[in-house]
Amino acid sequence: MRQLLLDLLPESPPSLDNFVPGGNGETLTALTEWLAGQPEVTAFCLHGEAGCGKSHLLQASGFCYIDAQSNPGLTAVTAKHPLAIDNVDALDATGQIALFALFNQLNANSSRLLTAAQQPPQHLAMREDLRTRLGSGLIYRLRPLTDDEKAEAVTALARERALKLSPDIVGYLLRHVSRDMRTLAMLVVALDQYTLEQKRPVTLPLLRELLSAPLV
């Protein structure tokens, strides 16, 4: 059944359109405007706890995406293109020196640097000159969706596919799978496909069948 769920999960690359903002509407608007060139500042920093959507937005930016957790020294990263650097708080000493230089190059070229961390720049344990650079641009906090907001979003996504999900079904999804919206949205699509293939309505037994070997 695990392979069945893998087969049903759709390809759904992160985009600004499939990001569920919840209470982050102002932040999403500011980021969208900045990506379009306004205002003309080099840096934009997103901060917030794990699972609030930072990585989704960085990958959706269209910039060259680098995760500092897997490349803490920013090896082979250049300023040829706008950069989206995730988990900047994971940069090692070499990576911090590299990012300082990259920032200056991007700024000189009127290019862009999008970063994400769990804390705002002024609270990051890093070089003071880099902290100042990152703090010189726009800084926005991403707040995690509440359970009610996730339930509303899942119900709305299902409604768009003419799929009726009872509160029990939605509650079960929130309790038994990864609670990030990207996974929940993909599971709504997978559930829709599975009900069509099985020619059965959505019930808790059918959902448990689909998730009998949890993917997440």
Side-chain angles (χ1 to χ4, degrees), residues 16 18 40 72 110 119 134-136 143 180 208:
L16 297 180
N18 62 24
E40 296 180 358
S110 298
Q119 298 292 329
L134 296 181
S136 67
R143 301 177 184 276
D180 69 278
R208 292 190 188 103

Side-chain angles (χ1 to χ4, degrees), residues 1 87 114 132 139 214:
M1 195 61 66
N87 299 302
L114 177 60
T132 300
I139 303 170

Side-chain angles (χ1 to χ4, degrees), residues 112-130:
R112 299 290 171 108
L113 172 66
L114 177 60
T115 60
Q118 292 200 20
Q119 298 292 329
Q122 63 267 31
H123 294 155
L124 297 179
M126 57 173 47
R127 294 168 50 118
E128 179 61 29
D129 52 5
L130 177 57

Side-chain angles (χ1 to χ4, degrees), residues 22-190:
N24 296 305
E26 180 183 350
T27 296
L28 182 60
T29 297
L31 176 61
T32 301
E33 292 175 349
W34 180 77
L35 291 172
Q38 295 295 331
E40 296 180 358
V41 296
T42 299
F44 193 115
C45 180
L46 292 169
H47 67 94
E49 64 187 70
C52 66
K54 302 186 300 296
S55 297
H56 180 116
L57 290 176
L58 263 66
Q59 293 175 50
S61 69
F63 292 1
C64 179
Y65 176 82
I66 302 101
D67 187 348
Q69 287 187 334
S70 57
N71 185 3
L74 297 184
T75 304
V77 177
T78 69
K80 292 181 179 179
H81 306 285
L83 299 176
I85 301 181
D86 207 352
N87 299 302
V88 290
D89 37 350
L91 291 172
D92 60 21
T94 299
Q96 292 180 36
I97 293 171
L99 184 55
F100 178 80
L102 289 166
F103 179 98
N104 291 334
Q105 293 170 43
L106 291 167
N107 186 56
N109 295 332
S110 298
S111 192
R112 299 290 171 108
L113 172 66
L114 177 60
T115 60
Q118 292 200 20
Q119 298 292 329
Q122 63 267 31
H123 294 155
L124 297 179
M126 57 173 47
R127 294 168 50 118
E128 179 61 29
D129 52 5
L130 177 57
R131 187 165 51 234
T132 300
R133 293 295 191 279
L134 296 181
S136 67
L138 301 176
I139 303 170
Y140 281 84
R141 179 187 175 190
L142 274 181
R143 301 177 184 276
L145 297 181
T146 65
D147 285 349
D148 286 344
E149 287 172 336
K150 289 179 182 180
E152 290 174 6
V154 167
T155 301
L157 289 169
R159 190 182 304 120
E160 290 173 3
R161 307 183 71 87
L163 187 67
K164 294 182 179 179
L165 298 184
S166 69
D168 287 346
I169 296 290
V170 175
Y172 189 91
L173 278 172
L174 292 177
R175 290 193 303 272
H176 290 85
V177 303
S178 175
R179 297 164 65 82
D180 69 278
M181 274 309 305
R182 183 163 179 259
T183 299
L184 289 169
M186 290 192 300
L187 283 169
V188 168
V189 178

